[in-house]
Every structure is written in structure tokens, then in C-alpha cells.
Amino acid sequence: MHPATSPTAGTPAEPTHRTLAPRRRFLRGLVAAVVAAPLIFGAAACGDDSSEAGDGTVKLSIFWWGGENRAKLTEDALALYTKKHPNVTFEKTWQANQGYFDKLATLTAGGNPPDIFQIDDNYLSEYAERSTVLDLNSYKDSGKLDVSKFPKSLLEYGVVDGKLAGVASGENTQGLVYNKTLLTSNGLPEPTTGMSWEEHIAWAEQVTKKTKVPGTQDPSADYKAFWVWLRQQGKDLYKGKELGFDEADVTRWFELWKGARERGATPTPDVIHEGNASDVTKQLVVTGKAATSWVWVNQMPDLKKNTKDELGVVAYPGDPSGQWARAAMYWSVFKGSKHRDVAVDVINFLANDPEAVALLGTDRGLPSNLDLRAKVSETATDPAMKQSIQVETELAQKFGQAAQVPIKGHSKVKSELVKAAENVQYGRATPAEAAAQYVAACKSAIA
């Protein structure tokens, strides 16, 4: 195992992305270099020709981000593959979240890309559009890549322009986590899946009045909540290569939460700002500064580690069909790999082998294979993990059609929402002014 940097744990849902504009420009430049150098790709799939010896042995390179725990789990699963396929070994590289995509772009542009690599929905479209990743449709159609036990919307969330660009390493969806101990000790009802946004805000207002703890974190800066809300309005975050919303939509969203703040349903702007951090340990539901937080369902175990209170989780407000089975992250294969068939078989193994799935658990999200997910749930000893699996399994019956994979510029679209929402929260701009600024920034980001 070769960590590229000193690893640190990140959220299981997605990597953090700071200094997004410089990084985005850096990534685009490097990935563009890939297209300009097709001869390099043809000659160097995963390093030099020594990766395959005359005796038929194969060495695959694989690259992922995460902390030491994820590295250990992944190492164990790959060792299991080698045990069952002795001719295949792995050159493993991993590193912390920060800088992962810079490194991946460098490897790809430099003619030494990994055969298999982990990727998320911030970048899948860019790599697919530039033909960096292998289209896995033919493997799916032949049965060599078995996705028959995947939720349909989870499979669809790996498709870019008709190409199956990545296979979900795990499933995730949005979850409203609440402090059950706080509510029950004060004789207050718990939130429920299906309550409207207005009902949620009214409920949060009552929680604030009774407990003196703000009822809900203000999610106006949270792209997950905005995205679900848009889908419930018949809109979406993206439509083809364009935005799926306009200034009027954003204005309504900001006005909804301006009203909630005025009613005392949310914390003050400074506390809201604290909760906007992606760090699980800073979510207001575990710091005691709000009764709810807007997270990913599979973050429940990590949230529970940071509080002694009992937590509950339901879908975001509104029609739950606005949610979908989101890939927590994907495995993709480099298009120029000399061992693409074996690489695809490894991905199939990680998704469908009972022993491998049991080893990996829910570190990369809930297992994509529904049959094996049920088995993992049965054997799980962590109550929070069992709860997250149970809730998402129940929500899966109500999921709507998958959203399209985000287009290039997605990271900027996310970060600009935080900026615009906080401008409204601090009174630096009206909802309409901030909406106009946000849409303009988004159009620039995806251009």
C-alpha cells in the first residue's frame, strides 16, 4: 500500500474541495492534455509493460482517496480477490481527500494513469466527456458486470451521455438527522418523511420555543437540500449542459429560509455558518446548536460518535420522490488500460462478492447490491449503521428517477450557493440580488 500523502479521514459521502477555482482550472488543463496526447494513452495504460509477465500474471494499479480505515478495508478486499485469482496483484495508491483530483489529473495527463480509480459526481462527467474512462455498457450487457441487483436509479446515476462511466461503490441519499433525545424529553413530535417544507419550518419554530434550541439548521446554502427542493418543483439542478433552474427559483428558495430565520426556526447567521462546514463533527445536531442537520444518510454512524444523544433520520421535507439513489462515489476504469477486462472484473467483484462486500461494509456508502446490503444490515453491530441502512432501504421504495450526473463546474456551483446564501443570511443582499449573482456565477462556472 502506498499512501500518496499522510491520510486523514473525510466524510464517507464525498471529498472536500477547497480553493475550488484554481483547482478547477488546474484540472481542466490537465484533463485537456489527455485529449491532446492519445498516443501516450495507447502506449501506457497502467505503467510500463512489466505489469504483465510472460506467465500471464497481471498487476493492476488502483487509486482511491480516504483515510486509514478505508485503506485497510480496501486492501483486505483486494487481497481476497488475489486469493481467488492468484495471477492478479495490485499496485495500490491512496491519499487523503485534499488534492486527490489534482493527483489523478496529473497521473492521467502524464501517461501513467491507474487502471482503476475512485471518482465522484463532481468530476465523473468531465472524465467521461473527454473519453478518459471506459464505457462499461458492453460489460453490463454481457453480464460480465452484474448490476442486476442495483437500484435502477443508482445505476443510471453513473451514465454520462449514454455511456456507463462509473459503477457506484455504494449508495447514499439525503437525510434529515434530528436529536431524538431532545424532542422526546420535551414532549415534542419527531419529524416525519413526507411533511412539507412549510410544515417542517412550523415544526422547527415550535421546537425553538419549547427547547430554546433552534429547531433546524438553515439549509439555504446546502446544495443537497436545494437540489431536492428543485426536483419537487418540477425543476432540477441541471438540464443537459445547462442549469435546470433560474433566478426566480433561487429567489423563492432564499425567501423561504429568510422567513424561517425571521420566525426563529433557525440559528443566527454565525451559527448557521458553523453548520455549513462539511465536517461531520461540526454539524449542529451534534454540537447541540440545532435540533436537525441536513446530511447524507450514511453519515449517521459518524454523527453518532460525536454525541451521547439518540439521533433519528428521515427524508428531506416534501415529496420523497424528489430524492434518488445517489452514488456515494464510483469505481471507473481507464479507457486505455491494457487489462480492462480484468479491471472490470475487479469492480464487479467489489460490488457483488459476498465476502468482499462484507469486508467493505458501508465505508463507501450502503452496498449497491441490494441482496448483499440486506446481509450487511443483518450482521452489522453498530446501531447507527443498522439505522442508516434501514432508513435508506425504506426510502428506496419512494425514490424518484435519478438526477443526471452533474456537469463540469459542479463544485463551483456548490460553493457559490454557500456564498450567495450567506450574503442573504447576513443581510448583505436581498434574496433577489443574491439569486441574480448566484445564477451568473453558475453560468460562468459551467461555460
Side-chain angles (χ1 to χ4, degrees):
M1 178 169 61
H2 301 282
T5 66
S6 176
T8 57
T11 69
E14 56 188 316
T16 56
H17 300 283
R18 297 183 176 89
T19 61
L20 289 169
R23 178 164 302 170
R24 173 67 57 180
R25 290 192 295 270
F26 177 67
L27 174 66
R28 287 178 181 170
L30 285 171
V31 178
V34 169
V35 179
L39 293 179
I40 293 177
F41 281 172
C46 55
D48 57 38
D49 291 339
S50 65
S51 59
E52 181 170 0
D55 58 2
T57 58
V58 172
K59 177 179 283 188
L60 290 174
S61 53
I62 183 169
F63 186 36
W64 70 87
W65 77 80
E68 292 182 357
N69 182 60
R70 176 173 297 169
K72 175 64 166 59
L73 297 174
T74 308
E75 283 256 313
D76 290 347
L78 295 175
L80 180 62
Y81 185 89
T82 297
K83 181 179 179 181
K84 296 185 177 185
H85 306 82
N87 65 310
V88 180
T89 57
F90 297 93
E91 180 69 23
K92 300 171 287 286
T93 307
W94 61 278
Q95 69 169 61
N97 301 354
Q98 194 72 13
Y100 172 85
F101 286 100
D102 291 347
K103 178 68 172 179
L104 180 61
T106 300
L107 291 171
T108 304
N112 191 34
D115 294 288
I116 304 169
F117 54 91
Q118 187 175 289
I119 195 168
D120 70 3
D121 60 5
N122 286 290
Y123 295 103
L124 187 67
S125 285
E126 290 193 32
Y127 277 74
E129 289 170 4
R130 297 184 184 277
S131 297
T132 305
V133 297
L134 180 66
D135 182 0
L136 301 170
N137 272 317
S138 63
Y139 294 92
K140 172 181 70 71
D141 295 342
S142 70
K144 293 179 180 179
L145 177 61
D146 184 7
V147 293
S148 62
K149 301 297 184 181
F150 282 35
K152 182 181 178 182
S153 60
L154 182 62
L155 176 64
E156 291 173 346
Y157 199 62
V159 176
V160 178
D161 294 334
K163 301 174 183 177
L164 183 56
V167 173
S169 60
E171 179 188 302
N172 213 352
T173 196
Q174 299 86 353
L176 180 69
V177 174
Y178 59 92
N179 187 323
K180 188 172 183 176
T181 299
L182 176 70
L183 298 176
T184 55
S185 64
N186 284 277
L188 291 167
E190 299 175 31
T192 57
T193 292
M195 65 167 32
S196 70
W197 291 87
E198 291 74 15
E199 288 170 339
H200 171 73
I201 291 171
W203 168 85
E205 182 181 5
Q206 293 305 310
V207 172
T208 303
K209 289 178 179 178
K210 183 69 180 288
T211 69
K212 308 307 178 186
V213 175
T216 184
Q217 158 69 334
D218 176 343
S220 55
D222 190 321
Y223 85 100
K224 303 187 301 297
F226 179 51
W227 198 347
V228 170
W229 180 83
L230 282 172
R231 284 166 59 86
Q232 293 165 345
Q233 317 305 311
K235 298 291 188 73
D236 219 315
L237 199 60
Y238 303 107
K239 185 177 181 181
K241 304 300 182 186
E242 305 294 333
L243 299 176
F245 59 89
D246 56 26
E247 288 182 24
D249 298 315
V250 185
T251 300
R252 285 178 57 209
W253 175 248
F254 286 162
E255 286 177 342
L256 175 69
W257 292 103
K258 181 175 184 291
R261 291 190 297 276
E262 291 170 349
R263 293 167 61 176
T266 76
T268 60
D270 284 343
V271 177
I272 294 170
H273 175 74
E274 289 179 31
N276 285 338
S278 61
D279 187 342
V280 171
T281 65
K282 296 179 180 178
Q283 294 302 310
L284 302 187
V285 75
V286 297
T287 61
K289 296 182 179 181
T292 66
S293 286
W294 308 74
V295 298
W296 297 107
V297 169
N298 75 335
Q299 290 178 307
M300 277 292 288
D302 286 328
L303 287 165
K304 188 63 186 74
K305 291 175 184 176
N306 290 281
T307 179
K308 294 180 180 179
D309 290 344
E310 185 179 357
L311 302 178
V313 59
V314 293
Y316 281 7
D319 186 344
S321 67
Q323 297 188 201
W324 68 99
R326 173 188 179 263
M329 54 198 74
Y330 310 88
W331 287 117
S332 290
V333 175
F334 172 56
K335 185 177 181 179
S337 171
K338 293 181 291 183
H339 311 298
R340 58 179 66 184
D341 292 352
V342 180
V344 173
D345 189 63
V346 171
I347 292 176
N348 184 69
F349 176 84
L350 296 176
N352 296 307
D353 182 87
E355 292 180 80
V357 172
L359 282 171
L360 294 168
T362 60
D363 178 74
R364 288 183 171 90
L366 308 187
S368 301
N369 181 311
L370 290 174
D371 289 352
L372 298 182
R373 181 187 302 178
K375 292 183 179 180
V376 169
S377 179
E378 291 170 2
T379 58
T381 57
D382 183 340
M385 182 183 295
K386 290 181 73 71
Q387 183 182 23
S388 65
I389 295 175
Q390 178 185 348
V391 168
E392 185 150 355
T393 300
E394 292 172 357
L395 288 178
Q397 308 303 315
K398 303 174 182 179
F399 282 156
Q401 183 177 350
Q404 74 171 72
V405 177
I407 58 180
K408 70 175 183 178
H410 180 57
S411 291
K412 186 71 171 176
V413 169
K414 289 161 53 179
S415 63
E416 287 292 336
L417 181 62
V418 176
K419 183 189 301 183
E422 291 192 345
N423 280 340
V424 180
Q425 292 161 11
Y426 282 101
R428 295 190 290 257
T430 66
E433 290 169 345
Q437 295 164 2
Y438 177 58
V439 170
C442 290
K443 288 181 177 179
S444 175
I446 67 175

Coordinates of all heavy atoms in Angstrom, one line a residue, residues 109 140 143 145 147 169 185 228 234 258 277 343 368 393 401 411 433:
A109 N -2.8 12.9 -17.2 CA -2.2 13.7 -18.3 C -0.7 13.2 -18.5 O -0.2 13.4 -19.6 CB -2.2 15.1 -17.9
K140 N -21.8 -4.6 -19.0 CA -23.1 -4.7 -18.4 C -24.0 -5.6 -19.2 O -24.7 -6.5 -18.7 CB -23.7 -3.3 -18.2 CG -25.2 -3.4 -17.7 CD -25.8 -2.0 -17.5 CE -26.0 -1.3 -18.9 NZ -27.1 -1.9 -19.6
G143 N -23.1 -9.2 -19.1 CA -23.2 -9.9 -17.8 C -21.9 -10.0 -17.0 O -21.9 -10.4 -15.9
L145 N -20.3 -7.5 -16.0 CA -20.5 -6.6 -14.9 C -22.0 -6.7 -14.5 O -22.9 -6.3 -15.2 CB -20.2 -5.1 -15.4 CG -20.5 -4.0 -14.4 CD1 -19.6 -4.2 -13.1 CD2 -20.2 -2.6 -15.0
V147 N -25.1 -5.8 -12.7 CA -25.7 -4.7 -11.9 C -27.2 -5.0 -11.7 O -28.0 -4.2 -11.5 CB -25.6 -3.4 -12.7 CG1 -24.1 -2.9 -12.7 CG2 -26.1 -3.5 -14.1
S169 N -19.8 2.6 -6.0 CA -19.2 1.7 -5.0 C -20.1 1.6 -3.7 O -19.9 0.8 -2.9 CB -17.8 2.3 -4.6 OG -18.0 3.6 -4.1
S185 N -37.6 14.3 25.3 CA -37.5 14.8 26.7 C -38.4 16.0 26.9 O -38.7 16.4 28.0 CB -36.1 15.1 27.1 OG -35.5 16.1 26.2
V228 N -33.0 18.8 -4.0 CA -34.2 18.1 -3.7 C -35.4 19.0 -3.9 O -36.4 18.6 -4.5 CB -34.2 17.4 -2.3 CG1 -35.5 16.9 -1.9 CG2 -33.1 16.3 -2.3
G234 N -40.5 20.4 -10.0 CA -40.5 20.0 -11.4 C -39.3 20.6 -12.1 O -39.2 20.5 -13.3
K258 N -35.4 32.8 4.6 CA -35.4 34.2 5.2 C -36.6 34.2 6.2 O -36.4 34.7 7.3 CB -35.5 35.3 4.2 CG -35.5 36.7 4.7 CD -35.4 37.7 3.6 CE -35.3 39.1 4.1 NZ -36.5 39.6 4.8
A277 N -20.1 24.0 7.4 CA -18.9 23.2 7.2 C -19.3 21.8 6.9 O -20.3 21.2 7.4 CB -18.1 23.3 8.5
A343 N -9.8 -5.4 -15.0 CA -10.1 -4.3 -14.1 C -11.6 -4.3 -13.9 O -12.1 -4.0 -12.8 CB -9.7 -3.0 -14.8
S368 N -24.2 -1.4 -3.0 CA -25.0 -1.2 -4.2 C -25.9 -2.4 -4.5 O -27.0 -2.3 -5.0 CB -24.2 -0.9 -5.4 OG -23.4 0.2 -5.2
T393 N -33.1 1.9 2.9 CA -33.8 0.8 2.3 C -35.3 1.2 2.2 O -35.9 0.9 1.1 CB -33.6 -0.5 3.0 OG1 -32.2 -0.8 3.1 CG2 -34.3 -1.6 2.3
Q401 N -36.9 9.2 -10.2 CA -35.9 9.0 -11.3 C -34.6 9.6 -10.9 O -34.6 10.7 -10.3 CB -36.4 9.5 -12.6 CG -35.5 9.3 -13.8 CD -36.1 9.8 -15.1 OE1 -37.3 10.2 -15.1 NE2 -35.4 9.8 -16.1
S411 N -18.6 21.7 -8.7 CA -18.0 22.1 -7.4 C -18.2 23.6 -7.2 O -18.5 24.0 -6.1 CB -16.5 21.7 -7.4 OG -16.3 20.3 -7.3
E433 N -31.3 39.8 -5.2 CA -30.0 40.2 -5.5 C -29.0 39.0 -5.5 O -28.2 38.8 -6.4 CB -29.5 41.3 -4.6 CG -30.2 42.6 -4.8 CD -29.9 43.6 -3.7 OE1 -29.4 43.2 -2.6 OE2 -30.2 44.8 -3.9

